[in-house]
Amino acid sequence: MEQKVVLITGCSSGIGLSLAVHLASNPSKVYKVYATMRNLDKKQRLLESVRGLHKDTMAILQMDVTDQQSILDAKRNVTEGRIDILVCNAGVGLMGPLEAHSLDTIRGILDVNLLGTLRTIQTFLPDMKIKRHGRILVTGSMGGLQGLPFNEVYCASKFAVEGACESLAILLQHFNIHVSLIECGPVNTDFLMNLKRTEASDEALEVDAHTRSLYDQYLQHCQSVFQNEAQDTDEIIQVLHSALAASRQPLSEGLSGGN
Ligand code: NAP
């Protein structure tokens, strides 16, 4: 049986790494996984997780979702010349009072979470459309469904991804392409450590005392939620895996919907 070719973004840690390992370890070798990451210096963790056993089921490629050329280079390095399953997973958080973020910081978050997802889909979608075949999985967030204090920019990026995916899903059913958005709550990964955070204790933080005190409380609450209630990546992988196995929705006749 022909292997399904999967490309995953953001595989240096967390959900992307776990999904890459899970699919590449499939005993029937059903998947060929292209595990991509923006910085190949970080590939050791992934290699240790697969214990070097999966040369025929996994390849590691450099890909930065903010860099169009690196996405095109990754595409060119897929030896099968096609992607059956695209997983847009790369993402980064931003926490702090909105007025404390520079516009450059805000742009940076949108560049990864929103534009990075759109760039990646744009690059691989035309081939999927021609072949009338494909699956797109996106790691969204509960923060794309409901607002969270001190997460305005992150939530805005994930709400936007939500809108883009829902819109694409309507059209792409006409091309036999299935779009799934997985809205994770807190997950035990490096996400909290990696997110860009304004420290409440930062004396240079120019916000009013009330905001500072609420932010301080929020950070403590957040630490406790991640410590006590976060899901393990295994649970998220099961959800992603069942999304891969899910049967397609019946095709509706035409396009509908308004603004
Ligand atoms: P993570 O361990 O921090 O992983 C994030 C991954 O994204 C890393 O591999 C990171 O690479 C990569 N990345 C960041 N910027 C990138 C770029 N420009 N190009 C390519 N890759 C880039 O966190 P995670 O929890 O696995 O996050 C995965 C996804 O799940 C994200 O989209 C996140 O928003 C979403 N999510 C996570 C949670 C949670 O609680 N963990 C909850 C809801 C949604 P580097 O190592 O190079 O930074």
Side-chain angles (χ1 to χ4, degrees):
M1 192 177 65
E2 199 175 45
Q3 283 182 310
K4 288 187 176 144
V5 182
V6 189
L7 185 139
I8 309 171
T9 66
C11 291
S12 66
S13 64
I15 296 169
L17 183 150
S18 298
L19 182 65
V21 172
H22 177 79
L23 296 181
S25 309
N26 181 289
S28 308
K29 302 191 175 189
V30 174
Y31 300 102
K32 168 71 181 283
V33 180
Y34 285 89
T36 74
M37 59 186 72
R38 64 177 161 176
N39 180 0
L40 288 179
D41 290 347
K42 293 189 174 180
K43 71 179 174 192
Q44 203 51 36
R45 190 164 166 189
L46 176 59
L47 287 173
E48 279 164 17
S49 303
V50 291
R51 291 188 291 276
L53 291 175
H54 301 283
K55 285 196 173 61
D56 47 350
T57 58
M58 196 177 82
I60 300 178
L61 296 178
Q62 193 277 338
M63 179 168 151
D64 181 337
V65 299
T66 67
D67 177 352
Q68 182 69 42
Q69 191 56 50
S70 92
I71 303 175
L72 290 171
D73 290 345
K75 185 180 175 203
R76 259 193 295 277
N77 282 315
V78 172
T79 50
E80 291 77 4
R82 67 170 206 284
I83 293 294
D84 301 307
I85 300 165
L86 175 65
V87 185
C88 296
N89 163 75
V92 62
L94 175 67
M95 215 186 273
L98 180 63
E99 60 272 38
H101 305 316
S102 71
L103 276 178
D104 278 349
T105 301
I106 293 172
R107 277 194 201 97
I109 297 299
L110 297 176
D111 202 15
V112 178
N113 294 358
L114 173 59
L115 298 181
T117 301
L118 297 183
R119 264 186 215 105
T120 306
I121 295 175
Q122 272 187 326
T123 304
F124 291 96
L125 187 56
D127 287 349
M128 286 185 173
K129 277 183 161 175
I130 289 167
K131 293 193 172 71
R132 284 192 144 53
H133 158 81
R135 280 187 179 253
I136 300 172
L137 267 62
V138 178
T139 39
S141 168
M142 287 302 290
L145 294 174
Q146 62 179 73
L148 302 167
F150 302 110
N151 279 276
E152 291 80 4
V153 177
Y154 179 70
C155 287
S157 71
K158 292 294 187 182
F159 266 73
V161 165
E162 189 88 20
C165 290
E166 282 188 23
S167 304
L168 265 177
I170 298 167
L171 176 69
L172 293 184
Q173 60 180 336
H174 292 267
F175 291 85
N176 194 32
I177 300 169
H178 193 92
V179 181
S180 305
L181 186 60
I182 314 301
E183 284 114 351
C184 313
V187 189
N188 265 322
T189 65
D190 291 350
F191 182 76
L192 200 57
M193 191 178 77
N194 288 340
L195 65 71
K196 295 182 194 307
R197 175 174 36 206
T198 307
E199 294 304 329
S201 57
D202 182 355
E203 285 178 11
L205 180 57
E206 290 181 13
V207 293
D208 61 276
H210 193 188
T211 302
R212 189 186 279 268
S213 142
L214 288 170
Y215 182 44
D216 210 11
Q217 288 169 46
Y218 181 76
L219 283 179
Q220 286 172 35
H221 163 76
C222 209
Q223 290 285 0
S224 139
V225 166
F226 268 84
Q227 262 164 29
N228 302 317
E229 293 168 36
Q231 289 182 285
D232 284 332
T233 48
D234 285 355
E235 293 177 73
I236 307 303
I237 300 316
Q238 288 311 317
V239 176
L240 285 161
H241 203 170
S242 47
L244 282 182
S247 56
R248 297 172 198 282
Q249 299 295 315
L251 185 69
S252 61
E253 274 307 302
L255 289 175
S256 60
N259 296 324

